[in-house]
Amino acid sequence: MINYICNICGMIINDKNYEFNKEAFLYSNSLDNIRHCPFCGADSIYIKEISKGEENRVNLTIEELDEVTSVILDHAMKLEVFNGDFYKKASKLAKNEEIKKMFEALSNIEFMHAKIHKTLGGFKELPILKKMDYSKYEEDSILMDLANKREKHAVQYYNKYSQDVCSSKITEIFNILSDVEEDHIHLTLKK
């Protein structure tokens, strides 16, 4: 298989990982048809083929961030960490094996989104948020409903602030991540 790189998260996609997080997608990748980045969910138009020896780094740093953009990225990073943590814990609470795997995959993707914001904002590390206890949610249907609400909130956040940031690159990434979260809305309604 040819190696690819995602221009959004910078991850290399190859024959060993093209199916990673497959439970978090409406459509599957195949060896001959990479439809999305398995790490961040970006659509195939943001994935490029890389040749052996070719530089395989994506530059996500923004030269000059204004204060408003820095705050928006900080909040976006915290939102994604919060959602990633929810999915991690929900995967342990879910009773249905398919839902459990989907939550694990969604957790990975949300944490990747947080890492993208960390890089864009030039932050040193991901935030450590207050530990939440979701054990009172004993039914998969309730966990799915909570997941759906989180995805809708993420889409609303990206749509609301995508025009308030100081960089067209960040606006584009917010729009791409919003599309990924839209797919997650449909996914969390499906099960």
Side-chain angles (χ1 to χ4, degrees):
M1 178 183 177
I2 299 165
N3 284 342
Y4 298 90
I5 189 167
C6 175
N7 287 317
I8 304 306
C9 68
M11 295 296 290
I12 303 295
I13 304 162
N14 58 38
D15 60 344
K16 293 173 180 51
N17 63 22
Y18 72 97
E19 290 186 303
F20 189 62
N21 294 322
K22 66 182 178 183
E23 299 83 4
F25 297 104
L26 296 170
Y27 306 102
S28 298
N29 281 338
S30 65
L31 276 173
D32 58 347
N33 186 14
I34 304 298
R35 300 174 77 145
H36 52 261
C37 172
F39 302 99
C40 73
D43 189 84
S44 63
I45 63 172
Y46 303 103
I47 297 170
K48 77 170 196 157
E49 189 177 311
I50 51 174
S51 304
K52 196 170 190 137
E54 183 179 351
E55 183 175 342
N56 56 8
R57 290 178 1 115
V58 173
N59 183 5
L60 287 180
T61 54
I62 307 297
E63 297 304 317
E64 293 281 327
L65 286 182
D66 62 19
E67 185 61 31
V68 169
T69 302
S70 186
V71 168
I72 290 170
L73 285 169
D74 180 61
H75 290 170
M77 178 175 63
K78 288 174 181 166
L79 170 74
E80 296 292 6
V81 167
F82 188 64
N83 288 348
D85 184 63
F86 164 76
Y87 284 125
K88 189 176 197 177
K89 290 178 176 152
S91 72
K92 292 175 174 65
L93 296 171
K95 291 162 185 54
N96 177 290
E97 197 59 36
E98 196 176 318
I99 292 173
K100 187 181 290 281
K101 287 180 180 178
M102 180 187 70
F103 284 161
E104 288 171 1
L106 287 169
S107 177
N108 293 333
I109 291 170
E110 303 301 352
F111 278 118
M112 180 56 77
H113 292 178
K115 290 174 188 171
I116 291 167
H117 298 313
K118 176 181 157 274
T119 302
L120 288 169
F123 306 118
K124 299 284 184 234
E125 54 193 37
L126 291 176
I128 297 170
L129 303 179
K130 179 182 167 194
K131 298 289 181 208
M132 300 295 292
D133 179 12
Y134 301 103
S135 61
K136 68 181 178 182
Y137 304 112
E138 296 179 359
E139 294 179 33
D140 289 358
S141 61
I142 296 171
L143 293 170
M144 290 293 284
D145 186 51
L146 289 170
N148 188 265
K149 287 177 181 166
R150 287 171 182 279
E151 298 300 343
K152 286 178 180 174
H153 177 70
V155 168
Q156 289 168 347
Y157 185 88
Y158 288 130
N159 291 345
K160 180 176 181 180
Y161 292 107
S162 66
Q163 298 306 311
D164 294 344
V165 293
C166 68
S167 160
S168 60
K169 185 184 218 177
I170 296 172
T171 297
E172 179 183 23
I173 289 172
F174 273 26
N175 291 333
I176 293 162
L177 297 182
S178 178
D179 289 345
V180 174
E181 306 295 4
E182 283 279 355
D183 285 349
H184 294 171
I185 290 171
H186 298 293
L187 193 67
T188 55
L189 285 174
K190 230 174 105 176
K191 305 284 179 200

